[in-house]
Amino acid sequence: MVRTNNVTELIFSGLFQDPEVQRACFVVFLPVYLATVVGNGLIVLTVRVRKSLRAPMYFFLSHLSLVEISYSSTVVPKFITDLLSEIKTISLEGCVAQIFFFHLFGVAEIFLLTVMAYDRYVAICKPLHYMSIMNRQLCYILVAGSWLGGFFHSIIQVLITIQLPFCGPNVIDHYFCDLHPLFKLACTDTSVEGVVVLANSGLIALCSFLLLLSSYVVILLSLRNHSAEGRRKALSTCASHITVVILFFGPAIFLYMRPPSTFTEDKLVAVFYTVVTPMLNPIIYTLRNTEVKVAMRRLWGKKENSGMERNWESD
């Protein structure tokens, strides 16, 4: 049970106050969210259907795309509908649930990105042993570990939140429920809880980011012994991953590795990693990955050809 005195419903202040600006944001963000779901969904479908994408890298990529859909859907649909509402409300229980799933999928993505960096390290630095190391069983364990890591992280965040008493103001200075804005509404000192969040969220992001950077330093150093064509292919694959890592970890470290301050810039940064980044990931991976592009073309080309063949048979 959430310990409350007289607060059962919360009100979001939203991203902007001007109704015209909010309607303009609705027109912009709705297509972005649809593109996120469709783009990442296509990657999941293509990897599952095409036998040419059975390598561990694509197995991890499909799970990353699934996480992106879930992560964005935790926040964005509610955010978009609220843009057309004068009063943006959410129940306290709904707020806690949003915090749980937001951090579950966010940390699962952090661990998946780390797993993908390890996969690239083994593929480039130990190519002869790649298939024996990155076997099917290990891939399943790494993915399951990513989801479990996100789950346990979120449980800690929720246990912190449900112990707080909320008895005063009920307006959250944000467009979705997150820990620091919610802590400001608690009618008790939350400095200890803030330190726990800093340790739980910020250190996960920072340590994973440093681990990722270290792995890519080792990869880049090892590429000196590869042929020019091998370096080009490896760098093309790694560039996509590094771009996604920077886009995701930059805002996360900015928000969770410092004490909470004014939330104006925080809300704008949050828009980037909740709305924009999940849409960019499938674009980044498909534009720089020839195998994924070819597999998508063949998948949809095959469907069209199958339809034509059925029409010819009926004739």
Side-chain angles (χ1 to χ4, degrees):
M1 287 291 294
V2 179
R3 290 198 299 149
T4 65
N5 288 332
N6 42 359
V7 173
T8 58
E9 189 176 66
L10 302 170
I11 300 173
F12 295 127
S13 65
L15 187 60
F16 300 106
Q17 302 301 317
D18 189 332
E20 292 296 324
V21 175
Q22 292 188 63
R23 282 191 285 270
C25 288
F26 176 85
V27 172
V28 172
F29 292 145
L30 178 59
V32 170
Y33 173 67
L34 294 176
T36 298
V37 175
V38 172
N40 285 288
L42 282 175
I43 289 179
V44 174
L45 179 62
T46 302
V47 171
R48 290 181 68 88
V49 171
R50 298 301 300 180
K51 293 182 179 179
S52 60
L53 301 179
R54 288 292 185 262
M57 177 176 70
Y58 301 114
F59 174 72
F60 298 136
L61 177 59
S62 68
H63 278 272
L64 180 67
S65 293
L66 183 62
V67 167
E68 292 285 18
I69 294 172
S70 306
Y71 177 72
S72 183
S73 297
T74 301
V75 172
V76 179
K78 169 69 174 164
F79 168 51
I80 291 174
T81 54
D82 281 347
L83 288 170
L84 300 180
S85 303
E86 185 175 348
I87 301 177
K88 307 161 180 52
T89 62
I90 187 171
S91 67
L92 190 57
E93 291 79 9
C95 183
V96 172
Q98 191 176 61
I99 289 173
F100 173 80
F101 287 109
F102 178 72
H103 284 268
L104 165 65
F105 298 127
V107 171
E109 179 166 353
I110 287 176
F111 289 144
L112 273 174
L113 289 171
T114 307
V115 166
M116 292 173 75
Y118 175 70
D119 173 71
R120 289 301 84 207
Y121 163 76
V122 176
I124 294 169
C125 299
K126 300 182 179 181
L128 298 179
H129 304 285
Y130 177 69
M131 292 311 298
S132 61
I133 295 174
M134 298 303 297
N135 56 66
R136 184 181 294 269
Q137 182 180 7
L138 179 62
C139 290
Y140 282 122
I141 290 172
L142 290 173
V143 168
S146 299
W147 285 99
L148 283 174
F151 174 79
F152 287 121
H153 163 82
S154 293
I155 286 293
I156 293 172
Q157 308 292 58
V158 168
L159 288 176
I160 293 171
T161 305
I162 62 176
Q163 296 180 55
L164 297 175
F166 297 96
C167 50
N170 67 334
V171 178
I172 297 182
D173 187 18
H174 217 309
Y175 64 88
F176 70 98
C177 283
D178 204 2
L179 293 164
H180 286 312
L182 187 61
F183 285 175
K184 296 192 94 175
L185 302 185
C187 48
T188 186
D189 179 45
T190 58
S191 55
V192 174
E193 287 81 0
V195 172
V196 174
V197 169
L198 180 67
N200 191 25
S201 298
L203 289 181
I204 287 177
L206 182 62
C207 292
S208 298
F209 185 64
L210 293 176
L211 182 62
L212 285 162
L213 285 182
S214 301
S215 68
Y216 279 108
V217 168
V218 174
I219 289 172
L220 291 174
L221 290 175
S222 70
L223 287 178
R224 294 180 300 180
N225 302 322
H226 287 63
S227 64
E229 177 61 23
R231 283 197 299 269
R232 185 199 63 79
K233 187 174 181 180
L235 286 172
S236 177
T237 303
C238 292
S240 302
H241 193 225
I242 292 171
T243 303
V244 171
V245 165
I246 293 172
L247 288 174
F248 184 82
F249 278 89
I253 293 173
F254 171 79
L255 289 177
Y256 292 106
M257 278 304 293
R258 61 179 178 79
S261 57
T262 57
F263 288 99
T264 304
E265 67 274 19
D266 288 10
K267 286 192 280 188
L268 295 176
V269 171
V271 167
F272 185 76
Y273 71 78
T274 57
V275 182
V276 180
T277 301
M279 179 199 67
L280 293 178
N281 286 358
I283 297 173
I284 293 167
Y285 278 111
T286 54
L287 284 180
R288 299 194 62 89
N289 193 303
T290 304
E291 290 181 344
V292 174
K293 286 191 290 186
V294 169
M296 281 187 171
R297 282 198 294 265
R298 287 178 178 173
L299 174 64
W300 300 110
K302 182 179 178 181
K303 287 191 173 183
E304 290 175 3
N305 291 336
S306 299
M308 293 173 65
E309 288 169 3
R310 284 194 294 269
N311 289 336
W312 290 337
E313 288 173 0
S314 62
D315 290 341

